[in-house]
Structure formats: C-alpha cells, structure tokens
C-alpha cells in the first residue's frame, strides 16, 4: 500500500485502501471458514488404512493418463473426471494415503467457502456464517473429505451449480455459463448429479418460471457436452452395476441414519456410521434426533414465505433424497453417506432454524442465544469427531495391518488368496512380498442386477480343480476375506476346502479377515 500511495493521488490511495478493506470484509469470512475446514479435514488424514474403494481409485488413477478414461469406462460404474484429476494430483504430491486423500480434503474445504457464499446470498451474513461453520465441523463432511473418492468434488460442483443457478434466476445472464460448466463437470464426476438436476428442475418450474426457457437451453448445452459419456451411462444403467445386491434394503432406518449423519455424524447413540447401519431402533433414533429435526423444521418455517429460498433448499436436499429413495424401492442406489453432496442445504436450513429460534428471545439476548446453539452443536459434533479420529473401532478395513501380518508370517512358498477378488487391489497397495497372490470370486458377484443363486455344478467343479492345484504347490494358504461377502459364499468356500486345506488360525482387522490354512494331511493332491 505504501508503493501505491506514492504513485497515486491521496484520495485515490484512500479509495484503494477502502476497496481492499471492503474486499476483506466481503471475502475474509469465507477464507476463515475455508481455513477452519482445512484444519479438520487434514488432521490425521493419513492415519487410517485405505479401504477398497480408495485403493481402487489409486489403481485407476495410477495408470498412464491417456488410459484412465478408458479404464474407468471398462471397469467402473462412475464417470472419469475424478480419476483424471487424481491421476494428475498423485503425480504432483505422491501416492501415500495422505497424498491420495488431500485432493478431496482441499476440495471439501473450498465447499465450505462456497456454502458461506450461498448462505449469504439466501439469508445474509449470519446464515452464511453459521451454515459454513456447521459445514466446516460436520463429521460427515470430514469423513467424506478424508477418503480418496469423488464425493467431495461432487459436493463442491453441486454448491457451485446451485449458486450459479440462483444468480441466473436473479437475472445475472453471465451466471448461465458457470451453471452449465459446474453441472456438466458434476455429471462427469458422479451420476448422482442427475438428482441435482431433478431438484433444479423443480426450483425453476416453481420459483423461477420466467427462466424456464433459459434453463432448458442450458440443459440442452449440458446434454451436448455430456454426450461423450452417455453410452457409458446407459451401459451402467442397463447392467445394474450401480445397485449391487449386497446393499442394505431401503427403509425408514435409512432416512433416520441419513439425518443422524447430517446432524452429528452418526457413530454414537447406536446410529449408523459412515460404513455400517446402526443398531438403535427407529424410535430411539427419532428421540435423539428431535432437537436437530426441530431446528430443521424451524428453518423450513423461516424460509417458507420466501419461495426462491425455500425451493432452492428443498430442491438441493429434499428432491435428491426423495427421488433416490423411491427409485431404490426397485433398484437400490440409496446409501446415507452418498448424500454428503447435499449437506450444505441441510446446514443452511439449520442455520435458518437457529436464527428463527433465537428471534423468540429478547433483542439483547439474541446473539448470545445463537452462540449457545452453535456451541451446543459444536459439542455433539466434537464428540463424534473425537471418536472418528481416535477410536480404532472406526478404522474400518485395515488393509495396512492385514498386509503387515502377511509380510511377517507368510513363508516364501506360501499362497495368498483374496476373496472376493476385488480385495486383491487393496492388498496390492500394501503388500509387497514375493509370494504368489491369487483371487476368487463368489458366485453372487457374477450376477448383474440380481445374482442367480442356483447351484452351478460347472463352477463348483472348476473351483475344486483350482483349490486342488493350489494344494499341490503350496502347503500353506492365507485366505484374505473382506466385506461385502455373503455368508453363503463363505460357507460354500469352506465346504470346497474340506479335505484339501484345514483352517488353523484367524486374525480380524475390522472388516478384513486373514485365515491361515494348511494342506490337509490326508489329501494327496496332484496337478
């Protein structure tokens, strides 16, 4: 500023200083919330082992960049954008757990800043500030940010898409290109962006009818830009790979689990955690959720008389959840953690609810009332975050420790078998031994939409031949199993191993189980 003052007229220098101060007043809070979010998201980011989906992301992104898109099209249910970005990211920052996850953590931190901007536009600085703070500390957002998956990127592009659509609905024509770009990039990130499009269609039809034509033109432009991916999308839709049979069935418990994840991150009070369904009954869950649901309902009441705000937040959060739930009654795509992209709308509605509740207090006490509510919210979320960071129970799928056991105990001529076969990808990330590694696929995984569970004599005989050939060459076999693994599949494998290998020892690593088997003494296997 001193150099500027020496070159400019004093009035101009004062104007520049005022402009800089104005910029800081406008964007400083966003920077502060992004920094706060980064602290939570980068804390202990490499402490836990990668789980299968993260190892798969590395497996896809580690190949030559020109092959990443083709690989995703052939072997994955998701569009390729995240894998392409991760491919470039790991070439800059390395392939360790923290490096792989840092892309999501960085993008998730930016999402908090975008949440502040959207909340400020919808309800003023208090709504934006409270909503951004809730997003910064939310355990669900931290958990999503700390895994090498595409959900943080989907969340960021979704809030940008909604923010741009709001600007366009308010008459800013320059917002339409940003809207198209963010929406198309979201579609190239995850097909759940289609749920966002459904919510935006409701918003435009109900709350911005004069922008229908412009929106339809933008939608047409988006279809053209997304056209190269349409074949892969329809192939995924027809194959049914997006709704595997092992996903838990939808029901009211799924919805209460989702609200628990949004409200305080689940994990406690018997609620679902990031990976597993909860143990508490729906009635008990509703009793715990009452304060959070009350704030949510108060938030809806606060924006009810403002159609544009109400329908934007309803389209952002409500429509995707309802559409996915109804669709899942036939083809199950519903899993609570998948909806982390819609969390900003929840946070902003809770912010509206807190302000509505504090408005019932005498004017001098309202800010103190909001502060008490925010601190109470922070307290319950801090409890969950502490559990997530420190409780080994939530370090799911510990492939790191499983691989360490094999490195210590497996002999040079031992055989290692991954079951189901996809486990070999996560195992390969950690296990660098010279032992032979094979894999087997349960019958259930051969199905597309629904597996044919009738006995397959040909498959059984083929598997018996494979196991006998293993026993002919390897006295010791290490069987590494992981979820999802149907119980029937494990029982069938035990039956096939009878008379060939004998189970001797077992070690569990929170979702990854290692069995040691020795060749059956009475068998005389031959090649």
């Amino acid at each position: 500023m001193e150099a500027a003052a020496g070159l400019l007229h004093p009035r101009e220098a004062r104007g520049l200083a005022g402009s800089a101060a104005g910029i800081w007043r406008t964007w400083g809070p966003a920077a502060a919330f992004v920094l706060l979010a980064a602290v939570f998201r980068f804390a202990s980011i490499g402490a836990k082992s990668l789980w299968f989906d993260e190892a798969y992301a590395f497996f896809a992104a580690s190949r030559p960049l020109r092959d990443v898109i083709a690989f995703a099209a052939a072997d994955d249910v998701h569009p390729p954008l995240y894998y392409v970005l991760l491919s470039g990211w790991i070439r800059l920052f390395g392939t360790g757990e923290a490096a792989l996850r840092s892309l999501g953590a960085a993008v998730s931190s930016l999402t908090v800043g975008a949440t502040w901007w959207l909340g400020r536009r919808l309800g003023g600085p208090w709504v934006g500030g409270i909503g951004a703070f809730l997003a910064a500390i939310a355990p669900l957002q931290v958990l999503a940010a700390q895994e090498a998956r595409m959900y943080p990127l989907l969340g960021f592009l979704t809030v940008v898409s909604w923010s741009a659509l709001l600007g366009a609905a308010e008459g800013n024509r320059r917002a339409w290109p940003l809207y198209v770009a963010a929406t198309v990039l979201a579609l190239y990130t995850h097909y759940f962006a289609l749920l966002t499009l459904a919510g935006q269609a409701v918003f435009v039809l109900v709350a911005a009818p004069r922008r229908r034509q412009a929106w339809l033109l933008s939608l047409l432009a988006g279809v053209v830009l997304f056209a190269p991916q349409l074949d892969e999308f329809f192939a995924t839709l027809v194959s049914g790979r997006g709704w595997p049979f092992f996903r838990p069935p939808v029901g009211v418990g799924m919805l209460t689990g989702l609200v628990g994840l949004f409200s305080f991150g689940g994990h406690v009070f018997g609620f679902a955690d990031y990976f597993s369904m909860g143990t508490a009954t729906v009635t008990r869950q509703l009793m715990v959720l009452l304060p959070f649901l009350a704030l949510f309902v108060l938030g809806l009441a606060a924006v009810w008389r403002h159609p544009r705000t109400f329908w934007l937040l309803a389209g952002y959060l409500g429509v995707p959840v309802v559409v996915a739930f109804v669709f899942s009654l036939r083809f199950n795509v519903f899993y609570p953690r998948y909806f982390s992209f819609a969390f900003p709308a929840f946070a902003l509605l809770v912010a509206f609810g807190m302000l509505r509740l504090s408005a019932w207090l005498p004017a001098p006490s309202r800010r103190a009332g909001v502060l008490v509510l925010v601190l109470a919210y922070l307290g319950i979320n801090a409890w969950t975050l502490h559990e997530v960071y420190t409780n080994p129970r939530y370090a799911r799928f510990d492939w790191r420790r499983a691989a360490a056991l094999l490195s210590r105990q497996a002999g040079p001529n031992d055989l290692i078998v991954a079951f189901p076969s996809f486990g070999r990808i996560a195992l390969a990330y950690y296990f660098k031994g010279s032992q032979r590694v094979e894999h087997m696929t349960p019958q259930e995984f051969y199905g597309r939409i629904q597996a044919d569970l009738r006995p397959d004599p040909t498959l059984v005989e083929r598997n018996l031949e494979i196991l006998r050939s293993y026993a002919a060459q390897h006295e010791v076999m290490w069987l590494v199993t992981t979820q999802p693994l149907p119980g029937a599949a494990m029982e069938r494998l035990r039956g096939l191993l009878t008379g060939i290998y004998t189970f001797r020892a077992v070690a569990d690593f929170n979702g990854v189980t290692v069995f040691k088997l020795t060749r059956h003494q009475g068998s005389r296997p031959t090649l």
Side-chain angles (χ1 to χ4, degrees):
M1 289 307 302
E2 291 179 0
L7 294 174
L8 299 175
H9 188 278
R11 290 181 180 176
E12 293 175 327
R14 287 194 299 270
L16 181 60
S19 177
I23 291 174
W24 173 250
R25 283 195 300 270
T26 302
W27 296 105
F33 287 123
V34 169
L35 180 60
L36 177 65
V39 170
F40 283 99
R41 283 149 180 76
F42 282 92
S44 302
I45 193 171
K48 296 176 182 176
S49 166
L50 298 184
W51 68 295
F52 164 72
D53 281 10
E54 294 180 284
Y56 179 87
F58 166 72
F59 183 65
S62 60
R63 60 197 61 246
L65 185 59
R66 64 180 179 276
D67 298 333
V68 172
I69 295 177
F71 176 82
D75 293 284
D76 197 38
V77 299
H78 301 302
L81 179 60
Y82 172 75
Y83 298 125
V84 171
L85 294 178
L86 184 63
S87 180
W89 189 269
I90 62 178
R91 282 161 175 77
L92 291 174
F93 300 104
T95 59
E97 294 99 329
L100 285 167
R101 293 165 173 162
S102 60
L103 173 59
V107 172
S108 179
S109 300
L110 294 176
T111 302
V112 173
T115 301
W116 169 85
W117 189 91
L118 179 61
R120 185 171 175 270
R121 292 289 302 275
L122 292 174
W126 277 89
V127 169
I130 296 172
F133 180 79
L134 298 183
I137 66 167
L140 172 61
Q141 299 303 91
V142 173
L143 286 162
Q146 288 196 341
E147 66 169 9
R149 297 296 287 159
M150 66 286 297
Y151 299 103
L153 180 61
L154 175 64
F156 175 71
L157 292 170
T158 300
V159 71
V160 172
S161 174
W162 274 108
S163 299
L165 182 59
L166 175 62
E170 292 173 343
N172 183 359
R173 294 182 178 180
R174 291 178 295 178
W176 287 114
L178 176 60
Y179 169 71
V180 172
T183 304
V184 171
L185 290 174
L187 288 167
Y188 274 108
T189 300
H190 197 289
Y191 294 131
F192 263 29
L194 292 168
L195 300 175
T196 296
L197 275 177
Q200 291 174 341
V202 172
F203 169 75
V204 171
L205 290 173
V206 177
R210 289 186 295 179
R211 309 300 178 196
R212 281 180 294 183
Q213 184 175 0
W215 182 75
L216 289 173
L217 290 173
S218 298
L219 185 63
L220 179 61
V223 171
V224 172
L225 293 171
F226 190 66
Q229 188 66 23
L230 285 175
D231 284 346
E232 299 302 329
F233 167 69
F234 287 118
T236 299
L237 198 65
V238 171
S239 71
R241 291 183 297 167
W243 42 88
F245 69 92
F246 49 76
R247 187 167 291 143
V250 294
V252 177
M254 279 286 193
L255 296 177
T256 54
L258 175 62
V259 178
L261 279 176
F262 275 9
S263 299
F264 51 85
H267 291 77
V268 295
F269 301 123
F271 273 73
D273 61 35
Y274 194 73
F275 291 107
S276 306
M277 300 306 297
T279 58
T281 64
V282 171
T283 301
R284 181 181 175 185
Q285 291 183 58
L286 287 173
M287 292 176 62
V288 174
L289 290 172
L290 276 177
F292 305 96
L293 290 172
L295 288 173
F296 182 79
V297 171
L298 283 173
L300 289 173
V303 300
W304 175 253
R305 296 183 181 275
H306 304 277
R308 187 163 289 172
T309 300
F310 176 85
W311 287 106
L312 186 147
L313 295 174
Y316 197 156
L317 174 61
V319 172
V321 172
V322 170
V323 171
F325 187 86
V326 172
F327 185 83
S328 295
L329 295 176
R330 179 63 181 88
F331 302 111
N332 193 358
V333 299
F334 198 102
Y335 210 76
R337 69 171 184 266
Y338 295 168
F339 293 90
S340 61
F341 73 94
F343 181 84
F346 179 85
L348 293 176
L349 281 168
V350 171
F352 275 111
M354 288 182 175
L355 293 172
R356 180 68 176 265
L357 182 60
S358 67
W360 296 343
L361 298 173
S365 304
R366 289 174 184 171
R367 290 190 178 184
V370 172
L371 180 61
V372 169
L373 290 172
V374 170
L375 289 177
Y377 215 98
L378 172 62
I380 184 63
N381 280 264
W383 180 21
T384 305
L385 282 172
H386 180 265
E387 289 292 297
V388 168
Y389 287 137
T390 64
N391 193 335
R393 173 187 170 193
Y394 301 119
R396 296 297 306 276
F397 305 106
D398 199 342
W399 286 98
R400 182 192 294 152
R401 291 176 57 217
L405 173 70
L406 294 171
S407 298
R408 291 193 309 269
Q409 298 191 18
N413 194 45
D414 290 359
L415 171 68
I416 299 171
V417 177
F419 184 71
S421 57
F422 58 74
R424 73 190 190 278
I425 296 175
L427 181 62
Y429 180 85
Y430 288 105
F431 183 71
K432 306 302 180 184
S434 60
Q435 289 86 347
R436 179 184 177 186
V437 178
E438 296 290 346
H439 56 88
M440 298 185 70
T441 301
Q443 179 180 333
E444 285 85 348
F445 286 82
Y446 285 110
R448 301 177 88 179
I449 295 177
Q450 179 63 50
D452 182 0
L453 300 183
R454 293 173 298 180
D456 184 346
T458 303
L459 180 61
V460 170
E461 186 58 35
R462 186 163 65 248
N463 286 334
L464 279 171
E465 292 177 3
I466 291 172
L467 292 173
R468 289 176 183 136
S469 71
Y470 289 163
Q473 302 172 68
H474 305 278
E475 183 176 351
V476 176
M477 180 174 81
W478 298 84
L479 180 65
V480 185
T481 69
T482 186
Q483 300 297 324
L485 176 60
M490 191 63 195
E491 290 306 310
R492 284 198 305 274
L493 181 59
R494 284 181 178 272
L496 290 174
L497 288 166
T498 301
I500 301 175
Y501 276 104
T502 302
F503 284 82
R504 296 297 184 187
V506 60
D508 180 72
F509 299 100
N510 209 359
V512 180
T513 306
V514 179
F515 298 91
K516 182 180 180 180
L517 298 85
T518 58
R519 190 163 54 205
H520 188 67
Q521 293 181 354
S523 65
R524 292 290 185 269
T526 58
L527 288 176

